[in-house]
Amino acid sequence: MSGGGVDAAGPPEGAVAARSPLHRLAGLPVRCYLTAQRAARALVRGVHHRWRRSLQLRVVTTTLLISALVTAVLGFFLVQQVLTGLLEAKREAALNDHKAGLTTAINMMQDGDQSADQDGQVAEITAELANHSGATGLYEVVILPDIGGLSGYATVDEASVPQRLRDEVGQSLELEKQYVTFTEIIRGDTRQPGLAVGARLSNSYELYYLFPLDHEQQMLDLVQNTVFFVGTALILLLAVIAYVVTRQVVIPVRAAAGSAERLASGDLTERMKVRGEDDLARLAISFNDMAGNLQEKIRELEELSQVQRQFASDVSHELRTPLTTIRMAGDLLYEDRHQLDPTMGRSVELLQSQLERFEELLTDLLEISRHDAGAVTLSLETVDIRDAVLKAVGDAEQIAEKTGIKVVLRLPAEPCVAEFDPRRINRILRNLIVNAIEHSEGRDVIVTAAGDRDAVAVAVRDFGVGLKEGEEHLCFDRFWRADPARARTTGGTGLGLSIAKEDAQLHGGWLQAWGMPGKGSQFRLSLPRRAGAELRGSPLPLAPPEMAIGRARGFSAPMGERTAQTAAGPGEGA
């Protein structure tokens, strides 16, 4: 029947909606557990961080733990010593009282009527001995028969006498020989610790004294409480003392650390305050002397560097005028070189190439001087990085064709727009591509561009001799060459990569190198999309994708860039 079927698709929509709150409630314990777990981890990390950074915390905590351990050990032995003394004194007193009572009981039995009722005589002795205990109840008296058929008398439950003590007394062959053991004194439903002393009173009876240990227990509790409170107060006092003492040392050390940090950050006028004549005062004096000497040396180096920069700038400017005259004469000769004999024509070509190299060197020296003087400015434009790559490849096309090397482009399909100075970025890319062609050993050069939300990047890859370990840090130094004996076809100045790094830093970007001997090298330029934005990662990995990350030799980054690259996350394949 159509009306009696069951929908195989599951419960109706309303039922699912009705169960949803239950599902949410069922997930509450899990969420609470995860929240508590995260809070616990955060607390542990915070304590660990604080423990590692605070000398004062470590000293105070260590003092607290060691003093607590020592106090606990000493307190334990003190309580044990007091307990042993109390029990030993109680035992001696108990034996004496029992001995006196035993003597009294034997005399009463000898002086009594032998024909009288023995049970009545025992009851009388029990009452007499109990009266000697006094109103405070120093002990309880128990007289038990040694053989059956006789009655025992006691002021407490007879079960208060432990069976092992009865066995020892019953097996004794000597009258009046005393035996001692610990027991529980039973009075109805109440029990209290006690000391039992027993001996044979006659051939038929045994005399036991039960001494309560309430007084000793009170004394022991008083000693334990006293030791606990005194030990706690002593531990806290030692912690306070350690805090005060370490504070007197830590505060000057922290002040010295702060002064050192400010000095390291560039504040050469930073000095420490000198108080007193102790070790910390001598440390402050030594620090101030060091800071003064360092300030003087840095000032001398700055003056020397300024003189050097000024000299390079002046020489470059002064050489411009004679170079222009020589260049004009050289151009005239170069244009008429075909009219000269072959030897003169070749000399004119060499003169023209060296003039071009000389002019390039002067241009680079002037650019370096501007960077050193901080006089470089950016002409920012919004440009597609693909256009910059195409222009740089076009500028290097003649060199690539001359050497028979193919430049392979791997550009994204979508625009990668960023704010930068087109002239300077084009100079960086042209320099990287020309260097790759120069060192590619006849193999192809691959130029890759990419972009993400925050940055754009260009990587130039060659398959030449590569870089040795550590050279990725040196290739950006001025006038550095990987192999000085190696012939160059383009006649570089040795300043190209140094200027490129300065231009990249000026944009807030990175210029980094990777290389392996025999595997080639790769240079990566990374720029933020927005001028002035902090660069946190790069869209391209530093090492080529075909190379294992673990085999990479490393990279070279501008000053202060290594930390940023480490924190960049997965986008920073190196």
Side-chain angles (χ1 to χ4, degrees):
M1 298 175 60
S2 60
V6 178
D7 189 358
E13 184 178 353
V16 175
R19 283 211 312 258
S20 297
L22 295 179
H23 285 287
R24 289 194 294 270
L25 289 176
L28 282 177
V30 177
R31 289 195 295 271
C32 293
Y33 170 76
L34 293 178
T35 302
Q37 190 178 35
R38 286 193 294 268
R41 289 178 179 175
L43 178 61
V44 171
R45 285 195 298 269
V47 172
H48 181 66
H49 178 73
R50 179 67 176 172
W51 176 265
R52 291 181 58 188
R53 291 183 59 88
S54 178
L55 174 64
Q56 188 174 15
L57 177 62
R58 293 200 298 271
V59 172
V60 172
T61 304
T62 304
T63 303
L64 193 65
L65 294 177
I66 294 177
S67 59
L69 178 62
V70 172
T71 303
V73 172
L74 293 179
F76 174 78
F77 284 107
L78 177 61
V79 171
Q80 290 297 318
Q81 195 71 19
V82 171
L83 176 61
T84 302
L86 289 174
L87 294 179
E88 188 64 26
K90 186 67 174 179
R91 183 176 182 277
E92 293 296 329
L95 289 174
N96 293 332
D97 289 344
H98 181 267
K99 185 67 175 178
L102 186 62
T103 302
T104 301
I106 292 175
N107 293 335
M108 290 180 65
M109 293 186 69
Q110 292 176 353
D111 295 339
D113 188 358
Q114 299 296 327
S115 61
D117 183 16
Q118 192 174 14
D119 291 343
Q121 187 179 19
V122 171
E124 181 182 357
I125 294 174
T126 303
E128 178 66 20
L129 295 179
N131 290 333
H132 291 171
S133 175
T136 57
L138 295 177
Y139 54 84
E140 304 291 343
V141 180
V142 177
I143 299 179
L144 299 177
D146 185 38
I147 57 176
L150 298 176
S151 301
Y153 297 88
T155 56
V156 293
D157 195 327
E158 295 181 3
S160 301
V161 181
Q163 185 61 39
R164 63 178 179 277
L165 181 61
R166 293 201 60 185
D167 294 341
E168 291 178 352
V169 174
Q171 295 172 5
S172 176
L173 300 178
E174 301 180 18
L175 296 178
E176 303 182 18
K177 184 176 181 180
Q178 297 173 301
Y179 295 89
V180 183
T181 188
F182 293 100
T183 185
E184 283 186 340
I185 300 176
I186 304 173
R187 294 187 180 89
D189 296 334
T190 61
R191 295 171 179 265
Q192 64 181 131
L195 184 67
V197 182
R200 293 182 64 87
L201 178 61
S202 64
N203 293 330
S204 302
Y205 288 96
E206 301 165 356
L207 175 64
Y208 298 94
Y209 272 19
L210 304 177
F211 296 86
L213 296 178
D214 292 344
H215 178 69
E216 286 71 18
Q217 184 64 46
Q218 293 175 1
M219 289 290 295
L220 184 62
D221 291 341
L222 177 61
V223 171
Q224 288 178 339
N225 293 334
T226 303
V227 170
F228 175 77
F229 287 113
V230 171
T232 303
L234 179 61
I235 293 171
L236 295 178
L237 182 60
L238 289 175
V240 172
I241 293 174
Y243 175 81
V244 173
V245 172
T246 55
R247 185 177 176 82
Q248 294 179 355
V249 178
V250 168
I251 288 180
V253 171
R254 288 176 179 172
S259 298
E261 290 175 357
R262 288 187 289 272
L263 181 65
S265 64
D267 185 6
L268 300 180
T269 61
E270 177 64 26
R271 297 295 185 271
M272 289 182 60
K273 294 182 179 179
V274 180
R275 296 185 179 90
E277 300 178 357
D278 55 9
D279 296 335
L280 294 175
R282 290 197 296 273
L283 172 63
I285 294 174
S286 300
F287 177 88
N288 294 339
D289 293 341
M290 178 195 67
N293 294 334
L294 182 62
Q295 184 179 17
E296 183 178 354
K297 294 298 182 182
I298 290 178
R299 185 181 297 110
E300 293 177 0
L301 291 175
E302 288 178 347
E303 293 175 355
L304 179 60
S305 177
Q306 179 64 29
V307 170
Q308 291 175 341
R309 289 196 300 266
Q310 188 65 37
F311 174 77
S313 178
D314 293 344
V315 168
S316 301
H317 281 288
E318 291 298 328
L319 289 177
R320 276 291 184 181
T321 301
L323 177 62
T324 303
T325 304
I326 297 174
R327 182 61 184 268
M328 291 173 61
D331 290 342
L332 291 175
L333 292 173
Y334 186 75
E335 291 176 358
D336 298 335
R337 68 185 184 280
H338 299 294
Q339 302 176 9
L340 302 174
D341 61 84
T343 304
M344 293 296 296
R346 178 57 180 166
S347 299
V348 169
E349 290 177 355
L350 291 176
L351 174 63
Q352 184 70 10
S353 64
Q354 294 304 313
L355 284 175
E356 291 176 353
R357 186 177 181 186
F358 191 20
E359 188 175 15
E360 184 181 353
L361 177 59
L362 285 180
T363 302
D364 289 345
L365 285 175
L366 285 173
E367 189 65 24
I368 284 290
S369 298
R370 293 191 189 98
H371 279 290
D372 291 340
V376 179
T377 58
L378 294 177
S379 298
L380 297 176
E381 298 180 16
T382 302
V383 184
D384 191 343
I385 194 65
R386 299 179 301 174
D387 297 337
V389 171
L390 292 175
K391 188 177 186 308
V393 171
D395 294 340
E397 185 177 2
Q398 183 178 1
I399 300 175
E401 292 177 352
K402 182 178 178 181
T403 55
I405 294 174
K406 182 181 179 181
V407 179
V408 180
L409 296 179
R410 295 177 180 176
L411 304 180
E414 299 296 330
C416 295
V417 178
E419 295 179 357
F420 55 80
D421 187 335
R423 182 180 66 86
R424 296 183 183 278
I425 298 303
N426 179 262
R427 181 168 60 190
I428 296 175
L429 297 178
R430 183 176 66 250
N431 187 282
L432 296 180
I433 295 172
V434 170
N435 281 346
I437 294 172
E438 175 71 23
H439 296 87
S440 62
E441 299 293 331
R443 301 177 184 176
D444 293 345
V445 172
I446 300 176
V447 181
T448 307
D452 58 17
R453 185 183 61 181
D454 301 320
V456 295
V458 178
V460 180
R461 171 82 159 102
D462 68 72
F463 298 90
V465 295
L467 295 173
K468 299 178 182 178
E469 184 174 2
E471 289 184 347
E472 66 276 2
H473 304 286
L474 301 175
C475 61
F476 297 103
D477 292 347
R478 299 176 183 182
F479 301 107
W480 181 87
R481 291 177 61 182
D483 186 3
R486 186 173 180 270
R488 297 181 59 93
T489 60
T490 57
T493 64
L495 294 173
L497 287 179
S498 179
I499 296 175
K501 185 181 74 169
E502 297 284 352
D503 286 337
Q505 288 182 335
L506 196 63
H507 285 81
W510 304 336
L511 181 58
Q512 302 155 288
W514 169 93
M516 290 184 67
K519 300 295 184 180
S521 60
Q522 177 166 291
F523 287 77
R524 182 184 66 180
L525 172 66
S526 305
L527 300 172
R529 281 188 178 269
R530 292 184 296 104
E534 182 181 1
L535 186 60
R536 296 182 177 274
S538 178
L540 292 175
L542 180 57
E546 69 271 13
M547 303 302 297
I549 294 178
R551 297 171 60 191
R553 289 291 185 179
F555 60 85
S556 176
M559 183 178 298
E561 193 173 292
R562 187 172 295 274
T563 302
Q565 189 169 348
T566 303
E572 287 295 310

